[in-house]
Amino acid sequence: MSGALRSGAFRFGPGSGIGLAVIDSLTAHAQAKIDGLQAKSLARTLKPTHRLDGVWVERGGRRLISFSCNDYLGLSHHPAVKAAAVAAIGIYGAGAGASRLVTGDHPLFRELEGRLAALKGAEAACVFGSGYLANTGIIPTFAGPGDLVFIDELAHSCIWAGAKLSGAEVLAFRHNDVEDLAAKLAAARPGARHALVATDGVFSMDGDVAPLDAISRIAMAHDAWLMVDDAHGLGVLGGGAGTARLFPDARIDLHMGTLSKAVGGYGAYVCATRPVIELIKMRARTLVYTTGLPPACVAGAIAALDVIAAEPQRVASPLAKARRFTAALDLPEAQSAVVPIILGAAEAALAAAAALEAQGFLVAPIRPPTVPEGTARLRVAFTADHPDEAVDRLAWAVRPWLAR
Ligand SMILES: Cc1ncc(COP(=O)(O)O)c(C=O)c1O
């Protein structure tokens, strides 16, 4: 590379020569990467999808029943949730206008944070723009160089991203393996170093639940803090309050979750003690340096929490549908609304998804790096609005793939 390129002292655009060479090189680099992904059946494309309601979608001119949405309660299309979002736009406008710490802290945030804290039995809450932003903001607020972060190996990508950003030493423990966690905590001897243990409550691609009581005991024994990402538990498990409700003895320091799954909208939150939340609001870079959620998202989330509180039948339904499916296929009983059908090779997952789509089902294939190498799968997500008859038909359609 020339000195001019290394120093960045070059011009882009017609006649510059150098700029064009850089653009060509970048394009070639991108194309080579794409070719490599295509050769391994790992290329991905965005497919325009019109979600007609909680379960039906229109894609490529066809109507399909989706078993791929995280809208577990169908609240993205609930009339009360939509009406609340529309009303908020009328009152507060379409956007927050700035970071929450500048002028973006519209009054709806206070109401939503109060509701979330009460639901989690916590002193306070902080709402973020998304789950990804929450995890990449929260972890570096409490862990830094010299500290330790222990993460379940199958935890969501944004927990890993947050841990890496923190500069702390990051250690994986085997999935849901409390003995491995205990051994790693003991070996690392946190001592004066802060240690944070982070796990999903419900694992997004596996649908299983973390043993939060045992994890919390071990974390406490080693003076480590525990953070749980309950993106897929809120609104589905524990009567809607989330996975922690299944483990009343667990001590969880940071209850994180999203507003983009069962709550049906967008955004995320963390609940904790008041000083912990105050520090997050002062120091989490993904809160400080980014625009607040639009009022419509916050109002929609409040209305969705109302539905969750008022309709226990709806809340119980995704797990019941998932269990109907696992029973029909003699699979281990579903623990959440998510059921994986692990097929191994990426090609197998693509072929199964295409075959199901031909039969009118939308079941997204999930491939590495979202899941570990050799564990490509169909990820089947159940919602309150799936008719039992459709669940049974899907089980019938999936059965031949299990046999393979
Ligand atoms: C466990 C988990 N945490 C965090 C996220 C990120 O949330 P968001 O989509 O709001 O960024 C997701 C999925 O999107 C998730 O499955």
Side-chain angles (χ1 to χ4, degrees):
M1 189 183 271
S2 77
L5 284 179
R6 267 201 305 276
S7 68
F10 56 85
R11 289 181 298 116
F12 285 103
S16 69
I18 293 171
L20 269 182
V22 169
I23 291 165
D24 282 345
S25 157
L26 180 62
T27 304
H29 172 71
Q31 192 58 56
K33 288 257 186 193
I34 291 168
D35 293 346
L37 290 169
Q38 272 165 347
K40 290 191 246 163
S41 297
L42 295 179
R44 303 182 188 201
T45 50
L46 295 172
K47 299 194 179 94
T49 305
H50 177 171
R51 296 185 64 239
L52 302 165
D53 59 22
V55 293
W56 287 96
V57 307
E58 223 170 64
R59 188 184 259 191
R62 290 187 66 219
R63 222 172 113 87
L64 303 167
I65 186 160
S66 171
F67 285 88
S68 287
C69 305
N70 299 321
D71 188 9
Y72 301 121
L73 302 176
L75 297 185
S76 69
H77 282 70
H78 191 286
V81 174
K82 291 200 284 188
V86 170
I89 291 175
I91 299 168
Y92 300 107
S99 158
R100 291 188 62 190
L101 284 160
V102 182
T103 58
D105 196 34
H106 49 79
L108 294 168
F109 278 115
R110 214 55 83 248
E111 188 179 342
L112 178 57
E113 289 174 345
R115 295 286 300 273
L116 289 164
L119 188 65
K120 294 287 173 183
E123 281 178 14
C126 175
V127 166
F128 280 84
S130 75
Y132 207 102
L133 289 172
N135 282 339
T136 50
I138 296 163
I139 298 174
T141 302
F142 297 101
D147 296 328
L148 290 156
V149 182
F150 297 84
I151 307 177
D152 184 290
E153 62 183 340
L154 296 186
H156 193 265
S157 158
C158 57
I159 295 183
W160 292 94
K164 280 182 198 150
L165 261 181
S166 76
E169 188 181 338
V170 184
L171 290 114
F173 62 93
R174 282 200 298 272
H175 177 52
N176 276 350
D177 186 337
V178 288
E179 281 168 20
D180 190 45
L181 171 62
K184 288 195 165 131
L185 271 162
R189 284 201 191 86
R193 308 205 268 175
H194 295 303
L196 174 71
V197 176
T199 180
D200 290 10
V202 171
F203 287 84
S204 57
M205 296 299 139
D206 294 81
D208 55 347
V209 166
L212 296 180
D213 45 359
I215 292 178
S216 126
R217 267 197 306 278
I218 288 161
M220 277 195 285
H222 291 273
D223 198 19
W225 304 318
L226 174 58
M227 169 168 159
V228 176
D229 174 339
D230 205 28
H232 299 272
L234 180 72
V236 176
L237 299 184
T243 311
R245 191 58 70 84
L246 306 179
F247 303 96
D249 297 331
R251 204 202 75 187
I252 297 166
D253 299 289
L254 294 151
H255 290 265
M256 177 271 172
T258 70
L259 306 172
S260 48
K261 278 72 178 173
V263 175
Y266 197 54
Y269 63 88
V270 60
C271 298
T273 63
R274 204 169 300 287
V276 166
I277 295 298
E278 266 177 37
L279 184 66
I280 286 172
K281 288 181 177 169
M282 289 178 203
R283 302 301 292 177
R285 298 173 73 85
T286 55
L287 183 97
V288 176
Y289 298 108
T290 190
T291 302
L293 268 183
C297 286
V298 183
I302 295 166
L305 292 180
D306 285 339
V307 177
I308 289 171
E311 297 187 30
Q313 278 303 106
R314 184 191 290 266
V315 166
S317 186
L319 180 60
K321 309 269 174 197
R323 288 187 168 163
R324 183 179 180 95
F325 180 76
T326 51
L329 290 172
D330 297 319
L331 293 171
E333 185 175 65
Q335 296 176 34
S336 72
V338 175
V339 177
I341 306 287
I342 298 179
L343 299 172
E347 293 78 6
L350 287 173
L356 292 176
E357 189 165 332
Q359 295 170 69
F361 300 107
L362 180 59
V363 186
I366 308 287
R367 293 164 286 161
T370 306
V371 291
E373 208 59 52
T375 70
R377 66 195 67 188
L378 298 172
R379 173 186 182 272
V380 191
F382 293 90
T383 77
D385 296 331
H386 280 127
D388 284 347
E389 158 279 318
V391 173
D392 297 344
R393 272 195 302 117
L394 179 68
W396 186 254
V398 161
R399 186 175 282 283
W401 293 93
L402 282 177
R404 286 177 214 197

